[in-house]
Amino acid sequence: MSRSGSSGGRGRPADRRGTPRSARELALDVLTRVETEGAYSNLLLNSALRREPLSPGDAALATELVYGTIQRLNTIDYILSPFLAKSSRQPAPWVRNLLRLSVYQLVFLDRIPPHAAVNEAVTIAGHRGHKGIAGLVNAVLRGVARQGMPAVPADWPASRAIAIRHSHPEWLVSRWIVQFGEAETRAMCAANNNPPHTSLRVNPLKTTPDALIGLLREQGIEAQRSGLSAAGVVVQGGGNMALTVWYEQGLFSIQDESSMLVAEAVAPEPGMKVLDCCAAPGGKTAHLAELMRDRGKVYAIDIHPHKIKLIEEQARRLGLSCIAAEAGDAAHLTEKFGDERFDRILVDAPCSGFGVIRRKPDLKWRKSEDDIRAVSRLQLEILSEAGKLLKPGGRLVYSTCTVEREENERVIERFLAGHPEYELEGARRILPHEYGTDGFFIARLHRRPAG
């Protein structure tokens, strides 16, 4: 969310009143730190909500303002630009972000009366700045309230028009138009701005999808079977499902429907020896173990030692004993396992993450084309290393949560060109607008039997 601008105030704003912050003030501080410090919005927001005594409704509003403002950043700045262009100095970051979160309310949130959004912003500006800043905020927001979303010029190229209307970096929109066409790109960018629904992966060792749906409906939570995954249940409402007793009891995990398809593509069988190369936080690892009925062995490897605990906690909660989690570099697997061979291998590779923008809106403003090129080289390196450890006749699944062909189809093409012992069994790319899920890529590879 990095944006440049000269100062019109000093540093990070502080609350001069010494009283608990409102939802808008908390959101303002998070947005300003995201911009000025390069911090991650989800980490900052979660930390702030743990410290602040906000009501559930105010906490929900603060969350909406942070993620919504970041999600719609390009569009918001386009709306603000004619009002700020008249000034000889750009506003300070905190003032700019106060304007942004207020414009988000005025243009994208129907439930907040315009006068309430404007008045609250002016009050915050008055407390944190001087009278001139409060006057600027008042004038700009009243102008936005009258004008609304200005028209996008008809003669603009499609990449720029989509970037403004649907708030994505123009360089990324241009890439996607080349890869998917204009209509598909427009639909995908629009879908990336929709809030994600909650989907649950049922633990078959403890319950069934229909039984879980029955439990949820008894408590007034609407639920239905997933149209994508046999293990999936989609819920409407119900709040944070990770805070329920059913979650604590290990009846389900929270996972996007398209992500559930990865372990299903691996299709491990009870008694097999399986390797999950980039395993943390352990959702797919646990799914593999569930499909194996907790019989056999799943080796879960992740490069970050502190994340091994997350995998182990998942296993304990779900009642899975066949998972062995260890720290290790997926680019050097043969050093760790030597002559050991596996029946199934999953490479859920590190990637740009452009399939999960609706969940992590910061991603689209942080990444560059150089990042895509760099991570695709790492992906091929990991895939090539993992390929050495698969038994002849075995199956290797490569997956990412990005839609970028350079990280998906082209990685597979390069791998197959250098590994004639492998063949492609099938590949599937899921775009965010197709099912209202995360974007994903899954390729299933088969190692030919020896001889």
Side-chain angles (χ1 to χ4, degrees):
M1 189 189 160
S2 177
R3 291 291 185 276
S4 60
S6 60
S7 63
R10 296 181 180 273
R12 181 183 169 198
D15 189 339
R16 297 177 180 177
R17 294 167 290 171
T19 56
R21 292 181 292 176
S22 67
R24 292 176 178 86
E25 289 172 310
L26 186 147
L28 171 59
D29 284 351
V30 170
L31 290 168
T32 303
R33 289 187 62 190
V34 168
E35 178 177 2
T36 60
E37 302 174 14
Y40 286 94
S41 61
N42 62 325
L43 300 179
L44 276 182
L45 179 62
N46 291 340
S47 176
L49 289 175
R50 283 195 298 269
R51 293 194 311 267
E52 297 291 335
L54 294 184
S55 68
D58 280 348
L61 176 59
T63 301
E64 172 76 32
L65 293 178
V66 169
Y67 290 139
T69 300
I70 295 173
Q71 196 76 273
R72 301 282 186 172
L73 193 61
N74 255 15
T75 310
I76 290 170
D77 283 353
Y78 176 70
I79 294 169
L80 282 170
S81 59
F83 297 98
L84 298 180
K86 303 169 187 176
S87 174
S88 59
R89 300 178 67 192
Q90 288 297 304
W94 76 267
V95 179
R96 182 163 58 247
N97 284 293
L98 177 59
L99 290 170
R100 284 169 171 165
L101 70 86
S102 301
V103 169
Y104 177 73
Q105 295 170 79
L106 292 172
V107 177
F108 297 105
L109 290 186
D110 295 335
R111 66 181 182 272
I112 296 178
H115 70 271
V118 173
N119 291 343
E120 177 72 8
V122 172
T123 299
I124 293 172
H127 284 137
R128 299 196 174 199
H130 51 71
K131 190 176 295 186
I133 293 176
L136 170 70
V137 169
N138 184 58
V140 169
L141 294 182
R142 290 190 183 280
V144 170
R146 288 191 300 270
Q147 170 193 278
M149 175 69 189
V152 172
D155 59 349
W156 274 11
S159 59
R160 190 177 181 193
I162 293 171
I164 293 299
R165 288 196 182 102
H166 300 294
S167 202
H168 281 63
E170 188 172 353
W171 70 265
L172 186 58
V173 175
S174 297
R175 282 181 66 94
W176 287 351
I177 289 175
V178 171
Q179 294 177 54
F180 307 112
E182 185 180 325
E184 200 91 90
T185 298
R186 183 181 293 105
M188 182 159 53
C189 289
N192 282 341
N193 291 323
N194 294 331
H197 59 248
T198 300
S199 51
L200 315 176
R201 187 192 76 241
V202 172
N203 181 354
L205 304 182
K206 296 195 174 188
T207 189
T208 66
D210 289 337
L212 180 61
I213 288 170
L215 287 174
L216 294 168
R217 288 178 175 172
E218 285 176 7
Q219 298 300 316
I221 301 171
E222 183 55 40
Q224 61 187 22
R225 296 287 295 265
S226 165
L228 268 184
S229 169
V233 170
V234 179
V235 300
Q236 303 295 329
N240 187 345
M241 297 303 295
L243 301 179
T244 65
V245 65
W246 307 308
Y247 180 84
E248 292 177 6
Q249 293 171 345
L251 300 190
F252 63 80
S253 297
I254 300 170
Q255 186 178 21
D256 188 77
E257 292 170 89
S258 56
S259 180
M260 297 178 200
L261 300 180
V262 175
E264 292 176 10
V266 178
E269 298 173 10
M272 281 186 168
K273 185 164 69 171
V274 178
L275 175 62
D276 186 354
C277 301
C278 308
K284 298 180 186 70
T285 306
H287 195 187
L288 292 169
E290 290 166 358
L291 292 172
M292 294 163 62
R293 311 299 299 182
D294 201 31
R295 299 199 299 270
K297 202 73 174 179
V298 180
Y299 293 84
I301 307 300
D302 198 86
I303 195 170
H304 303 290
H306 67 280
K307 292 186 177 181
I308 299 304
K309 184 179 178 182
L310 298 176
I311 303 171
E312 293 172 340
E313 287 173 349
Q314 289 253 33
R316 279 194 295 270
R317 183 180 63 81
L318 296 166
L320 300 169
S321 60
C322 74
I323 294 172
E326 300 179 40
D329 188 346
H332 300 282
L333 289 168
T334 52
E335 294 178 13
K336 187 175 187 67
F337 289 105
D339 295 331
E340 212 168 341
R341 294 295 178 267
F342 297 88
D343 300 293
R344 299 280 192 272
I345 295 178
L346 170 59
V347 178
D348 187 44
C351 68
S352 63
F354 285 136
V356 295
I357 286 174
R358 63 192 186 131
R359 297 183 188 277
K360 300 178 179 179
D362 308 59
L363 282 172
K364 59 184 174 182
W365 310 121
R366 290 177 181 271
K367 301 287 185 177
S368 69
E369 291 188 277
D370 288 341
D371 293 322
I372 294 172
R373 285 188 285 269
V375 79
S376 68
R377 290 192 291 270
L378 175 61
Q379 290 160 346
L380 181 59
E381 184 180 358
I382 292 173
L383 183 58
S384 298
E385 184 75 355
K388 300 172 185 175
L389 298 176
L390 187 68
K391 292 179 181 178
R395 178 180 298 142
L396 187 157
V397 169
Y398 173 85
S399 65
T400 71
C401 59
T402 188
V403 299
E404 275 289 325
R405 283 184 175 161
E406 188 167 345
E407 302 178 60
N408 295 332
E409 289 91 342
R410 288 170 193 160
V411 169
I412 296 300
E413 289 167 5
R414 292 197 291 269
F415 174 79
L416 291 174
H419 296 80
E421 72 275 22
Y422 275 88
E423 60 184 351
L424 179 65
E425 286 188 332
R428 184 175 187 181
R429 183 181 63 242
I430 300 172
L431 301 180
H433 61 282
E434 292 177 321
Y435 301 98
T437 65
D438 292 343
F440 248 87
F441 176 80
I442 305 167
R444 194 158 70 173
L445 305 171
H446 173 253
R447 184 167 188 171
R448 296 183 176 92

